Structure formats: C-alpha cells, structure tokens
Amino acid sequence: MRRWILKAGATDLNGLVLEDAPMPEPGAGEVRIRVHAVSLNYRDQLVLKGQFANNLPARDLIPISDGVGEIDAIGAGVTTWAVGDRVTGLLLNWQRGAPTEIGFGLGSLSEDGMLAEYVVLPVERVVCAPTSLDDAEAATLPCAALTAWNAIHGGYPIGKQSKVLVLGSGGVSLFAMLFARAAGAQVIATSSQDAKLKRWMDLGASDGINYRDTPDWGKAVFERTGGVNKVVNTVGTGTLSQSLAALAYGGEVALLGLMTFDDRPLDFLSLMSKGAAVRGVAVGSAELYDAMVQAINTHKIRPIIDRRFRFEEAKAAYQAQSLPELFGKIVIDLV
C-alpha cells in the first residue's frame, strides 16, 4: 500500500514523502480501514511546520487527522464493527462526559493519521459516518465539524431565539454556521474580505462585518444586535476582549482558536459585568459525534468543500488549504 509520511523533524512540505509500505494488520481490538477520503484542518498545517503543541514530529508520522473509509478487516475480539462498515476516525480518545487525559489526536506527535490507503485504528477510535453524506463530505467531520458542534451545543444552550457570532471563514466557523442555522439561531459573521461576507450572507447569515474596516467589531456587533448569546471564537486569545464586547448579558465565548495568542489585558469588566463565560473547546467526544451525525442526517446538513485533490497531489492540497481565499474544506480523494 501507499502512504504519505511526514519525516521526523520536518518543518515544511519537503519533509512530506510518498512511500510504499507493508499492508498493516489489525491486532486484538483493532480494525483496518480502507481510506476513501481525507480532509485538511489548520492543525495539520501546524503539525507540518512543527508548531503544533510547540513540538516537531519526533518520528516519521502519517499526517492528517480526518478521514473516512470502509472497514475491510477486523482483529481478534472485535464485536462492535464488521467488514463493510463505513466509518470515520475519532480524533481524540474521548468517549463521553467531560474530557480527561485525551492526548493530541490522530496525525500529530505520537499518533499516526489518515493519509494512507489503509490505516489501523483501535475500535474506540472509530465512529459511524453519516448515511446522508458522500465520502468527501464525511471526511470533513472528525475535527472541524465536531469542534463546531461542541462549540454550538455545549455550554450555553442555543435555540430559535439565539444569536451566534462566528469569527472568520475557516472550517469550524462554517460548520458552526450550519449547525446554528439548523437549530434556528440567527448568525452574524466576520471576515476581512467582502467577497467572503457575501458568501456568508448567501448561506444564511443575517449580517456580516469586515473586521479590517471595523476594528472595534465587538462593539459594532453589540450595537447592531443587542448582544449575541454565543461567540464561536476560532481565532484565539487575541480576539477575546472583542468577543466579550459582542456578547449579550449571560452569554458565552466558545474559545478554540489557535491563530493568535497575545498578552493584551483581558476586559475583565465586560466578563464580570455581563456575567459572561469563556469555555475552552477541544474537539469533542464520541457521544457528541453521534449526536452530530444524527443532526446531520436529520437536517440534511452538507459540508462546504472548497477543492478536491487526488492522493498523489497531497502537497498541492496543503498549499491550497493555506490560501487566503479558501472558503470551505480541502479534501484528498483516495478512491
């Protein structure tokens, strides 16, 4: 079989190598998956550059966390899955309830990912793919979609009267928009590009703000809406005070961004006077994944895909995923 390897110590695409490897065999409690498609996340760019958790890959690593395929072999003692089941990987070893020691996830540091024709995973790291989605769409779910589901439906509950602000137009933000709209909530979006704001509006956003033209965008959101009930902050702590400024009283910032970290003072006055909450979001559990899949099937939610590449074009896929005009997920097809 073929697989892409990110060489130990690599910091750019020169370290990504396509190689032949022996067919992996599932051991006890494991299944083998013939991978049909994978999708890229921002975290995969950080792994490539040696910036994820501030660590370079310590060994040769199969990259990319998200993928879908069909089980084609099962190991001893496996009773929960059968050959022919269509599944995705589960990014973290987190089954239900509050997170515990969950590690860094597939395709990073110590765990191989999905960018191979066949992969072997423990049964607890496998979940059902939605029946309503094709392979390219299902491949986008394990990281971006599940993170967005947790951000939208965890913590502060939202409903038909809720207002949700999403920052930027990355994969998590787009999924947050889809899930919030499916719940009946109003969605406001930010972007630095007016063309992207138009696309947001076409998808159902009620308003959009260009944060370059409106640097004090948190205040602007509050003035236009009376405050949002939830901010899905996919950027990082550098936008936390602006996020708090956009909140209604008693609202929540779901904080999950890895793009900006700075030490500017937090607006504690807004945090306290609004009775606001800041909740860290680290993807989600298998239990949350199952709830998300049920909602996707019920509401016919379709992930937004920007471009698709062949397996041999993995390097080009990485390059496309880092372009500023990206709007939607980058998918690599294996079959």
Side-chain angles (χ1 to χ4, degrees):
M1 70 143 199
R2 297 177 302 166
R3 65 184 186 184
W4 283 92
I5 289 292
L6 183 61
K7 304 298 287 186
T11 57
D12 58 35
L13 285 172
N14 292 323
L16 190 63
V17 178
L18 180 61
E19 66 175 23
D20 292 318
M23 178 70 74
E25 297 296 335
E30 295 179 332
V31 299
R32 186 174 68 202
I33 301 168
R34 184 190 180 200
V35 180
H36 291 176
V38 302
S39 75
L40 282 157
N41 294 285
Y42 180 66
R43 76 190 300 273
D44 298 312
Q45 298 285 349
L46 296 179
V47 172
L48 174 72
K49 297 172 184 176
Q51 297 172 350
F52 186 73
N54 297 315
N55 281 286
L56 293 171
R59 62 175 180 85
D60 290 356
L61 178 79
I62 300 173
I64 300 187
S65 61
D66 289 10
V68 66
E70 181 180 299
I71 293 176
D72 82 323
I74 59 175
V78 175
T79 59
T80 52
W81 300 102
V83 171
D85 286 343
R86 185 165 169 266
V87 298
T88 72
L90 183 66
L91 179 68
L92 301 174
N93 187 16
W94 175 11
Q95 299 304 306
R96 62 189 57 83
T100 54
E101 293 290 333
I102 54 179
F104 295 107
L106 299 178
S108 63
L109 304 185
S110 61
E111 289 192 79
D112 283 326
M114 301 291 291
L115 192 55
E117 291 177 322
Y118 292 85
V119 300
V120 169
L121 292 177
V123 292
E124 62 270 15
R125 303 299 289 279
V126 177
V127 282
C128 284
T131 57
S132 60
L133 301 184
D134 64 25
D135 287 334
E137 293 167 328
T140 68
L141 301 182
C143 182
L146 186 54
T147 301
W149 181 265
N150 189 352
I152 290 296
H153 289 287
Y156 185 101
I158 69 163
K160 294 182 178 180
Q161 304 304 316
S162 300
K163 300 170 187 174
V164 176
L165 172 66
V166 294
L167 306 188
S169 53
V172 175
S173 294
L174 288 169
F175 274 115
M177 158 78 169
L178 295 174
F179 295 147
R181 292 295 297 135
Q186 177 183 341
V187 177
I188 301 93
T190 69
S191 176
S192 62
Q193 301 178 39
D194 289 339
K196 286 187 175 182
L197 289 175
K198 183 181 184 304
R199 295 189 69 177
W200 273 113
M201 305 293 279
D202 291 341
L203 287 171
S206 62
D207 200 357
I209 294 179
N210 187 316
Y211 60 81
R212 294 197 189 279
D213 295 340
T214 310
D216 201 3
W217 50 264
K219 179 181 178 182
V221 169
F222 187 88
E223 290 175 347
R224 293 188 192 185
T225 65
V228 296
N229 306 106
K230 183 170 300 219
V231 178
V232 180
N233 185 326
T234 58
V235 181
T237 56
T239 56
L240 187 51
S241 288
Q242 288 280 1
S243 298
L244 289 169
L247 275 185
Y249 291 88
E252 175 191 86
V253 178
L255 182 63
L256 50 104
L258 298 173
M259 296 182 183
T260 65
F261 300 92
D262 62 24
D263 56 0
R264 72 183 66 182
L266 177 66
D267 185 358
F268 285 104
L269 183 60
S270 289
L271 181 67
M272 292 184 292
S273 65
K274 289 186 174 181
V278 177
R279 178 173 61 96
V281 177
V283 196
S285 65
E287 183 177 52
L288 286 174
Y289 186 98
D290 290 341
M292 176 187 72
V293 166
Q294 182 177 354
I296 287 171
N297 285 331
T298 299
H299 296 285
K300 307 301 180 186
I301 297 169
R302 308 305 293 265
I304 298 165
I305 295 175
D306 185 282
R307 294 178 64 187
R308 296 168 67 168
F309 294 83
R310 293 182 293 110
F311 184 62
E312 297 79 12
E313 300 174 317
K315 290 186 178 182
Y318 270 89
Q319 292 171 329
Q321 205 259 343
S322 62
L323 294 175
E325 61 266 26
L326 179 74
F327 194 89
K329 299 292 289 182
I330 296 293
V331 171
I332 299 173
D333 295 301
L334 280 78
V335 296

